[in-house]
Amino acid sequence: MAFFATKEPRLLSLLLAIGFFVVAASAGNFYESFDITWGDGRANILENGQLLTCTLDKTSGSGFQSKKEYLFGKIDMKLKLVAGNSAGTVTAYYLSSKGATWDEIDFEFLGNLTGQPYTIHTNVFTGGKGDREMQFHLWFDPTADFHTYTVHWNPINIIFLVDGIPIRVFKNNEKHGVAFPKIQPMKIYSSLWEADDWATQGGRVKIDWSNAPFSASYRNFNDQSSCSRTSNSTWVSCDANNNSWMWTTLTPHQYGQMKWVQDDYMIYNYCTDYKRFPQGLPKECNKLE
């Protein structure tokens, strides 16, 4: 049994109490890693478990969830988004716990008219509270090929990456009174669904059902750098000393990459929305360390 070193003693106590286990990961095989949970046949696992597709038509969308729960991890998934006129569609890819005070880490891909850019919508929920949206366009066409979308979640920060390039960091600022997700286990969820009341240009552009069925595709799932469990009866902890990803933050080069993305491709940042927060921006917006 391998335990966390004294580098984070309070975290050690938490994880021992929760009892998480590093289970053998099976990167890329959707049969082993996920269950299709809804859609009545509109989601399918193909190519001997190497490809998963979700479709949306006028009757229903579709979705799936991970077999395992995670408490910290570097989670990679390759997605190819709905092509053509995807207005009104949302492809969601996120981690979430359950209950009224859930935690959640979100990627949502908001469709658009043919030739117009997708919007990547990101958010972090703690204790059932979100309102931490940042939105981006992309520097490539996400419908033409597969691209890797990563959530790197550890006790220090949550890093959102696209093809290995960081676009956003949510730091652990608990010492300043900012809640950070570190106790509740989360499953991975993904779905393709209709949200034309808000998804495209604030709901002004509606879904065109003549283009249905819409389809999104997934490959190369990788959770090998993660702490996870398959049942509540598992009581073995992670070994932080052998898991460098547990203590990863951005390098100066990565901060430069993130600045490029945020300068050139960010279209909304809740930390600059003074109209939304007339009583003052959230604490984490004040560059706390």
Side-chain angles (χ1 to χ4, degrees):
M1 184 179 293
F3 295 98
F4 278 101
T6 55
K7 192 183 289 186
E8 291 281 348
R10 285 178 293 178
L11 178 62
L12 166 60
S13 300
L14 272 172
L15 293 177
L16 291 179
I18 296 171
F20 266 73
F21 173 52
V22 183
V23 297
S26 52
N29 192 305
F30 288 103
Y31 284 121
E32 296 179 13
S33 300
F34 291 94
D35 293 316
I36 293 172
T37 50
W38 65 285
D40 194 22
R42 291 173 178 81
N44 292 280
I45 298 174
L46 307 166
E47 298 181 6
N48 296 316
Q50 300 306 302
L51 173 68
L52 193 154
T53 61
C54 284
T55 58
L56 163 69
D57 60 29
K58 202 166 186 177
T59 301
S60 178
S62 54
F64 60 94
Q65 69 182 43
S66 62
K67 296 179 185 290
K68 293 183 285 189
E69 292 180 305
Y70 299 84
L71 187 68
F72 307 124
K74 181 176 179 288
I75 310 296
D76 295 326
M77 185 81 83
K78 283 187 177 292
L79 280 77
K80 183 163 67 171
L81 301 179
V82 175
N85 184 354
S86 58
T89 70
V90 174
T91 305
Y93 166 54
Y94 61 101
L95 291 95
S96 181
S97 61
K98 294 185 176 181
T101 56
W102 77 98
D103 294 337
E104 186 170 319
I105 304 169
D106 286 348
F107 271 116
E108 289 186 299
F109 305 92
L110 313 184
N112 211 335
L113 294 168
T114 303
Q116 298 300 309
Y118 260 81
T119 295
I120 294 187
H121 176 99
T122 66
N123 205 350
V124 176
F125 286 76
T126 54
K129 181 184 180 299
D131 298 331
R132 299 185 177 103
E133 301 92 343
M134 290 186 180
Q135 294 184 337
F136 307 83
H137 287 158
L138 289 166
W139 51 96
F140 55 84
D141 179 358
T143 74
D145 203 350
F146 287 88
H147 292 268
T148 303
Y149 302 90
T150 302
V151 171
H152 190 147
W153 168 38
N154 64 25
I156 301 172
N157 48 205
I158 299 166
I159 309 171
F160 296 78
L161 303 103
V162 177
D163 288 339
I165 296 174
I167 65 171
R168 175 182 183 176
V169 173
F170 183 80
K171 294 182 179 180
N172 184 340
N173 277 303
E174 289 180 299
K175 63 185 178 183
H176 298 292
V178 179
F180 186 84
K182 69 175 189 181
I183 298 174
Q184 300 188 70
M186 301 194 215
K187 285 193 172 186
I188 302 166
Y189 298 87
S190 190
S191 58
L192 175 57
W193 51 290
E194 177 267 318
D196 70 1
D197 57 336
W198 65 273
T200 305
Q201 299 179 30
R204 290 187 296 274
V205 181
K206 303 299 183 182
I207 198 165
D208 182 354
W209 291 111
S210 69
N211 294 306
F214 305 95
S215 181
S217 302
Y218 306 77
R219 286 192 184 276
N220 297 97
F221 169 69
N222 191 333
D223 67 347
Q224 291 188 346
S225 298
S226 66
C227 300
S228 58
R229 67 180 181 185
T230 54
S231 80
N232 293 338
S233 62
T234 303
W235 292 98
V236 181
S237 73
C238 298
D239 182 354
N241 292 325
N242 291 326
N243 291 322
S244 61
W245 62 267
M246 284 290 295
W247 314 110
T248 296
T249 57
L250 295 186
T251 66
H253 174 67
Q254 288 177 310
Y255 270 111
Q257 290 179 313
M258 187 170 69
K259 183 178 186 303
W260 165 69
V261 173
Q262 294 189 354
D263 286 349
D264 290 359
Y265 296 99
M266 179 182 284
I267 59 172
Y268 178 80
N269 181 357
Y270 78 110
C271 281
T272 61
D273 193 342
Y274 293 93
K275 290 183 179 179
R276 183 178 175 189
F277 302 104
Q279 304 306 314
L281 296 173
K283 290 181 181 178
E284 67 269 19
C285 296
N286 297 321
K287 299 189 183 302
L288 304 174
E289 296 291 346

